[in-house]
């Protein structure tokens, strides 16, 4: 008789899923504890889970050689100078803005950071737990890489180092500007230290450089290695702490509530609170440009494809034209709310009764503009769990002088960037449901945007379920292939969808804050395909290939709102 029992061996996808869960639980535990040492015993679970997961974005983190694209991705999202700090303190908004400390804002993440002294960096967390997970995974990667450096350069237990390290130290500590020859000599030494080729280093060298620090890569490698050597020799371990105020405030919607109250106050003061409101989560330029670019362009100008106009607007050299459009928008009733709550989400309010929409080239229903006079509220992107906090607070009734006013929210539209699992950069995804990673929680909805609304414009469109992940770096190919090939049939991944939908569903179906018939629209354009080698987020941005999908989605959303 044959044994019909199924032999269970864990697949790589199951191992990865388990690693994500362990990281998630460990990070919450370390946060509640108040501090930990990333390369000590307390950080071991986090390191092991990250090395088991080996996220696509961190490339060769599990190998002996250093990971260059992953390092660039992480360094762009952390404050300049963090590689020199032994103490990293995550704080709430605790008043540093009113001190002599100058805020350091990372190039690719809007967050205020403050260098307290030579050894300490404070990072302000105002966007919820997702921001903490994001920073801790980046730091874990950074410190794993730093120990690879020290392992390659240390010769003995007393701290003697290789010749390459001595030469690198000399190049970094000399205050004079390096010549091209000296730079290439230094690159030769760090190529040996990192286990990479001279050519690989030369290719990536300028991507790290900044105007104030052209030799930044040398500097980063030196300081990462130096602090790792100190950990090895003197047991002087780097420490991450969470301030008591941050631990007390997190999860309580402190910034979201102040943010939402400010917006409702502005709507109330401008008599817009009881008008039909359409919320759009998008960037701060596409809706404004779509509504006002035509009134700025000279009627004599040769007729260009409107998407070419948008593309030229996104170029660095056209800042003057962008400012002109902004001025025109403010002149025609746009209200701009610069965020001061710490949520880091700016807002634009457009009163359509003051805009000549006929110039936009979008078909519109005259009755909508004359009778309904919709108000369009554009909010900048939220970050992960912050999406729940902001929308949840925004949809609550406005209270003034003991009176409660329910907002007349007719639709909520979400346009965002996401990773795609079928197709490539610049394609569009139309979700039919959001699934929350690590759980079977799923949020199906009737999406007002349909594939046929966007077809025939030179962009590939995909429809299906999307997964809301816990962080940009918390997935790998195996787990994504599972979602893509299984009956979940996931077409893409992003960080906010399930959080937005959870808040909209609660407000419309449970709490009765807004109409149960509120319309929802979700559309994402692909920033990367993590299943393709060389097409992950770490391989660089979208460039102008993101312009057409962004404006195609924006125009389609506006067409639906104005009809």
């Amino acid at each position: 008789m044959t044994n019909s029992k199924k032999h269970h061996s864990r697949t790589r996808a199951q191992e990865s899923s388990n690693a994500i869960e362990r990281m998630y639980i460990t990070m919450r535990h370390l946060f509640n504890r108040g501090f930990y040492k990333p390369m000590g015993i307390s950080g071991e679970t986090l390191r092991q889970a990250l090395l088991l997961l080996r996220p696509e974005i961190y490339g060769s983190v599990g190998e002996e050689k250093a990971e260059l694209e992953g390092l660039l991705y992480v360094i762009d999202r952390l404050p300049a100078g963090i590689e020199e700090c032994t103490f990293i303190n995550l704080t709430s908004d605790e008043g540093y803005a009113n001190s002599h400390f100058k805020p350091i804002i990372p190039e690719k993440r809007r967050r205020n950071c403050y260098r307290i002294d030579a050894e300490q960096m404070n990072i302000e967390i105002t966007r919820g737990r997702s921001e903490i997970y994001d920073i801790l995974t980046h730091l874990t990667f950074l410190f794993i890489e730093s120990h690879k450096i020290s392992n390659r350069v240390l010769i003995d237990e007393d701290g003697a180092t290789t010749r390459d390290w001595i030469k690198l130290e000399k190049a970094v500590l000399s205050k004079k500007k390096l010549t091209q020859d000296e730079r290439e000599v230094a690159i030769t030494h760090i190529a040996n230290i990192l286990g990479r080729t001279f050519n690989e280093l030369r290719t990536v060298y300028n991507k790290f450089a900044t105007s104030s620090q052209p030799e930044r890569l040398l500097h980063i490698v030196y300081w990462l290695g130096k602090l790792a050597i100190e950990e090895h020799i003197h047991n002087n371990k780097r420490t991450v702490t969470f301030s008591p105020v941050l631990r007390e405030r997190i999860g309580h919607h402190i910034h979201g509530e102040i943010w939402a109250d400010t917006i409702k106050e502005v709507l109330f003061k401008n008599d817009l609170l009881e008008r039909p409101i359409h919320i759009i989560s998008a960037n701060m330029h596409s809706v404004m440009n779509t509504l006002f670019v035509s009134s700025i362009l000279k009627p004599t100008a040769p007729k260009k494809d409107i998407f070419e106009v948008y593309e030229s607007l996104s170029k660095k050299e056209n800042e003057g034209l962008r400012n002109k459009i902004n001025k025109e928008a403010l002149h025609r009733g746009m209200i701009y709310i610069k965020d001061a709550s710490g949520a880091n989400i700016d807002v634009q309010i457009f009163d359509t009764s003051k805009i000549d929409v006929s110039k936009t080239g979008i078909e519109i229903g005259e009755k909508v503009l004359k009778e309904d006079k919709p108000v369009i509220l554009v909010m900048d992107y939220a970050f992960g769990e912050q999406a729940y906090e902001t929308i949840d607070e925004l949809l609550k009734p406005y209270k003034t002088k003991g009176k409660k006013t329910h907002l007349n929210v007719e639709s909520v539209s979400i346009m965002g960037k996401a990773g795609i699992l079928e197709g490539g950069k610049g394609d569009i995804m139309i979700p039919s449901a959001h699934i929350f990673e690590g759980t079977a929680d799923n949020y199906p909805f009737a999406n007002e945007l349909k594939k046929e609304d966007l077809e025939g414009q030179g962009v590939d469109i995909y429809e299906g379920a999307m997964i809301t992940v816990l962080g940009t770096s918390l997935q790998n190919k195996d787990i994504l292939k599972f979602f893509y090939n299984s009956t979940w049939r996931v077409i893409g991944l992003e960080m906010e969808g399930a959080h937005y939908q959870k808040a909209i569903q609660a407000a419309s179906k449970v709490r009765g804050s807004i109409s149960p018939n509120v319309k929802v629209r979700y559309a994402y354009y692909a920033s990367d395909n993590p299943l393709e080698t060389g097409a992950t987020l770490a391989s660089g941005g979208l460039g102008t290939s993101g312009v057409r999908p962004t404006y195609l989605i924006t125009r389609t959303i506006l067409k639906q709102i104005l009809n």
Side-chain angles (χ1 to χ4, degrees):
M1 193 178 129
T2 56
N3 186 355
S4 61
K5 272 191 180 174
K6 199 172 172 189
H7 175 63
H8 281 285
S9 61
R10 289 205 312 169
T11 64
R12 178 90 178 95
Q14 285 168 325
E15 282 177 355
S16 304
S17 183
N18 188 257
I20 291 170
E21 197 176 347
R22 280 215 313 280
M23 287 185 80
Y24 189 53
I25 292 165
T26 304
M27 287 192 278
R28 290 190 85 134
H29 161 70
L30 295 171
F31 174 71
N32 290 333
R33 182 183 179 216
F35 75 98
Y36 81 108
K37 294 182 176 177
M39 298 312 285
I41 293 165
S42 51
E44 195 172 352
T45 312
L46 211 46
R47 295 196 309 274
Q48 284 175 350
L50 189 77
L51 289 169
L52 177 64
L53 181 63
R54 292 199 299 280
E56 231 45 56
I57 218 157
Y58 293 156
S60 58
V61 65
E63 298 171 30
E64 264 189 51
K65 62 179 179 183
E67 166 55 32
L68 297 173
E69 282 189 341
L71 181 63
L72 179 62
Y73 179 85
V74 165
I75 283 291
D76 279 348
R77 283 154 182 80
L78 291 172
I82 196 159
E83 68 279 358
E84 301 172 14
C85 297
T86 315
F87 299 95
I88 294 158
N89 188 18
L90 272 54
T91 72
S92 181
D93 178 0
E94 297 175 23
Y96 290 103
N98 307 320
S99 67
H100 76 281
F101 297 114
K102 279 199 166 55
I104 305 167
I105 299 165
E107 197 178 324
K108 301 276 174 76
R109 280 277 186 270
R110 281 169 306 182
R111 50 172 75 112
N112 290 334
C113 310
Y114 301 94
R115 184 76 179 261
I116 303 303
D117 54 35
E119 294 178 315
Q120 184 180 333
M121 180 73 77
N122 279 16
I123 302 177
E124 223 168 68
I125 305 290
T126 56
R127 309 183 77 162
R129 286 194 184 95
S130 298
E131 195 166 19
I132 296 174
Y133 306 146
D134 190 56
I135 290 166
L136 294 192
T137 33
H138 288 344
L139 289 176
T140 306
F141 163 81
L142 205 59
F143 295 163
I144 289 171
E145 289 295 313
S146 77
H147 274 243
K148 284 186 197 174
I149 296 167
S150 70
N151 291 340
R152 290 185 82 97
V153 302
L154 275 175
I155 298 171
D156 61 28
E157 290 301 308
D158 301 324
T161 54
T162 61
R163 177 176 178 270
D164 287 312
W165 182 255
I166 295 161
K167 293 286 184 188
L168 170 65
E169 186 166 47
K170 194 179 167 194
V172 170
L173 298 180
S174 84
K175 296 284 178 234
K176 66 184 183 67
K177 198 171 175 239
L178 296 186
T179 63
Q180 182 60 25
D181 292 1
E182 288 167 335
R183 184 175 298 117
E184 289 189 355
V185 169
I187 290 174
T188 306
H189 294 304
I190 62 166
N192 278 341
I193 291 167
L194 300 179
R196 291 287 192 168
T197 66
F198 175 79
N199 211 30
E200 283 172 322
L201 262 300
R202 205 174 52 172
T203 308
V204 84
Y205 199 86
N206 287 337
K207 291 181 186 171
F208 280 89
T210 62
S211 52
S212 61
Q213 213 178 11
E215 320 301 339
R216 186 159 161 245
L217 180 56
L218 298 181
H219 193 91
I220 289 165
V221 172
Y222 172 70
W223 279 99
L224 285 178
K226 182 178 164 65
L227 295 189
I229 290 168
E230 282 181 19
E231 287 195 4
H232 269 303
I233 307 301
H234 307 295
N235 206 23
N236 183 13
K237 297 224 179 298
R238 285 166 283 193
T239 307
V240 175
T241 50
F242 307 93
S243 82
V245 179
L246 175 67
R247 285 155 67 206
E248 188 184 293
R249 284 181 179 176
I250 205 83
H252 290 301
H253 293 200
I254 297 204
H255 302 286
E257 190 178 353
I258 300 166
W259 174 83
D261 285 349
T262 305
I263 295 163
K264 285 180 264 196
E265 208 172 290
V266 170
L267 289 168
F268 176 72
K269 282 180 180 165
N270 288 277
D271 288 329
L272 301 173
L273 199 60
E274 293 180 36
R275 296 253 294 274
I277 295 171
H278 297 268
I279 298 167
I280 304 177
S281 169
N283 52 56
M284 286 283 99
H285 55 79
S286 55
V287 174
M288 178 177 72
N289 287 350
T290 305
L291 292 173
F292 295 103
V293 73
S294 309
S295 47
I296 286 295
L297 293 174
K298 295 183 178 76
T300 52
K303 276 271 179 271
K304 256 186 181 176
D305 168 37
I306 191 69
F307 291 103
E308 285 178 27
V309 175
Y310 297 141
E311 203 164 306
S312 65
L313 266 178
S314 68
K315 290 179 181 156
K316 266 185 185 166
E317 62 267 24
N318 283 330
E319 197 181 342
L321 191 53
R322 289 196 294 275
N323 292 340
K324 219 170 171 185
I325 292 170
N326 192 40
K327 224 172 176 177
E328 173 75 1
L330 291 165
H331 178 62
R332 301 222 173 254
M334 176 181 91
I335 301 166
Y336 177 62
I337 306 172
K338 175 90 181 133
D339 180 60
S341 69
N344 264 319
I345 299 176
D346 296 337
V347 169
Q348 295 162 330
I349 297 168
F350 300 94
D351 178 354
T352 57
S353 67
K354 293 180 178 176
I355 301 168
D356 182 359
V357 191
S358 62
K359 286 184 179 174
T360 59
I362 297 170
E363 300 157 38
I364 41 158
E366 288 301 313
K367 178 182 166 289
V368 177
L369 287 184
K370 284 198 180 97
E371 294 172 27
D372 297 345
K373 296 177 183 166
V375 171
I376 298 170
L377 190 156
V378 182
M379 58 180 276
D380 211 339
Y381 298 122
F383 187 73
E385 280 186 27
Q386 189 193 28
Y388 177 78
E389 175 178 337
T390 47
I391 291 287
D392 183 56
E393 292 297 334
L394 187 56
L395 298 181
K396 285 178 183 174
Y398 178 62
K399 292 175 191 160
T400 176
K401 294 174 187 160
K403 186 182 163 226
K404 246 179 134 179
T405 310
H406 286 262
L407 274 68
N408 181 11
V409 176
E410 291 199 350
S411 76
V412 182
S413 306
I414 312 295
M415 172 178 80
K417 261 194 310 201
I420 195 167
L421 301 181
E422 182 180 353
K425 282 188 182 189
D427 292 346
I428 290 175
M429 291 155 276
I430 307 284
S432 52
H434 288 294
I435 302 151
F436 192 40
E437 182 183 39
T439 68
D441 295 358
N442 54 82
Y443 301 88
F445 48 84
N447 195 342
E448 291 294 311
L449 290 170
K450 301 277 179 277
K451 192 175 177 179
E452 51 270 26
D453 297 333
L454 297 140
E455 279 181 324
Q457 299 285 345
V459 179
D460 288 342
I461 320 287
Y462 297 91
E463 249 176 335
M466 288 189 71
I467 185 158
T468 299
V469 297
L470 295 165
T472 50
S473 38
L474 291 179
Q475 62 273 317
N476 62 21
K477 273 187 186 168
D478 302 283
I479 204 159
L480 296 177
K481 274 179 188 160
F482 164 74
F483 282 119
Y484 179 54
N485 295 322
S486 71
T487 50
W488 286 111
R489 290 196 293 278
V490 167
I491 56 164
L493 58 144
E494 48 75 58
M495 278 183 67
E496 291 80 29
H499 302 297
Y500 277 128
Q501 190 55 28
K502 190 163 51 168
I504 296 164
Q505 257 171 237
S508 60
K509 305 280 193 286
V510 183
R511 301 167 104 161
S513 305
I514 57 169
S515 161
N517 303 318
V518 65
K519 289 181 164 71
V520 292
R521 300 180 190 88
Y522 288 92
Y524 298 92
Y525 55 94
S527 56
D528 64 306
N529 183 335
L531 289 181
E532 281 179 23
T533 304
T536 66
L537 274 176
S539 65
L542 261 169
T544 52
S545 63
V547 174
R548 183 173 281 268
T550 303
Y551 281 93
L552 180 54
I553 296 167
T554 306
R555 287 176 74 86
T556 312
I557 289 172
L558 288 173
K559 184 178 171 182
Q560 290 193 359
I561 288 172
L562 299 172
N563 281 286

